[in-house]
Amino acid sequence: GQQLNQSPQSMFIQEGEDVSMNCTSSSIFNTWLWYKQDPGEGPVLLIALYKAGELTSNGRLTAQFGITRKDSFLNISASIPSDVGIYFCAGQFLSGGYQKVTFGTGTKLQVIP
Amino acid sequence: KAGVTQTPRYLIKTRGQQVTLSCSPISGHRSVSWYQQTPGQGLQFLFEYFSETQRNKGNFPGRFSGRQFSNSRSEMNVSTLELGDSALYLCASSKGLAGGDTQYFGPGTRLTVL
């Protein structure tokens, strides 16, 4: 099946620093999604990428769809305390005539004020 | 546009009982997927329903079942609860189309089994 490797698993950073996390796979995806989950809540969609090479920003967040279609990264610039949470990547692929989705294991981000 | 809603938000049950969780998708979305999330386990896919039919299933025992109604609302049932079933249960809705689809999550139901 489609497997996603998300790294790092967790990170502690100082407020104001930039953050980078990524997901890689041996399989090809046609869509990459990045979600953020706050404790006790459901994941919230941050960025969706639909084309290889696409680079998309959402405020301080920037994500890219790798040109090989097997990877994606998410950057957060000038981190602030409310960036704390778990970030998930998700890859979608077409199977059996509809989209299936695979999730990464998550990156837990802690921001030190 | 209202988001995905899940009820109840919190639930406490004892071993051996059964539980039913409900999910109302975003208006116009025909696909509902259910996930189990436990600390350190990430999102474990349970099943997906589209137009009242289960079209995808994860590796969970038969105690976990679901259904979808004609208005796309979905329910998930867990019978004979075990302590290990304690988790955050998330549902996500999408249009269910072949291209350009995106899943949107509800806030989850926190189930505690004592």
Side-chain angles (χ1 to χ4, degrees), chain A residues 29-46:
Chain A
F29 293 97
N30 55 42
T31 301
W32 282 96
L33 307 166
W34 284 93
Y35 292 87
K36 183 196 175 199
Q37 185 177 26
D38 291 328
E41 299 292 329
V44 173
L45 182 67
L46 298 173

Side-chain angles (χ1 to χ4, degrees), chain A residues 66-82:
Chain A
I67 56 173
T68 65
R69 296 170 62 193
K70 295 180 179 181
D71 63 327
S72 177
F73 72 75
L74 174 71
N75 286 343
I76 305 173
S77 63
S79 59
I80 58 178
S82 62

Side-chain angles (χ1 to χ4, degrees), chain A residues 30-31 33 35 37 39-45 48 50 86 88 92 94 97-101 103-105, chain B residues 9-10 35 37 41-43 48 55-56 88 90 96-108 110:
Chain A
N30 55 42
T31 301
L33 307 166
Y35 292 87
Q37 185 177 26
E41 299 292 329
V44 173
L45 182 67
Y50 299 107
I86 302 177
F88 290 98
Q92 286 189 317
L94 201 57
Y98 63 95
Q99 294 285 346
K100 290 187 179 179
V101 62
F103 283 87
T105 50
Chain B
R9 289 293 310 274
Y10 303 92
Y35 296 85
Q37 187 179 36
Q41 287 291 325
L43 292 160
E48 182 210 0
R55 69 176 182 182
N56 201 7
L88 181 67
L90 295 161
L97 304 176
D101 206 11
T102 303
Q103 286 194 339
Y104 295 88
F105 283 86
R110 171 71 64 184

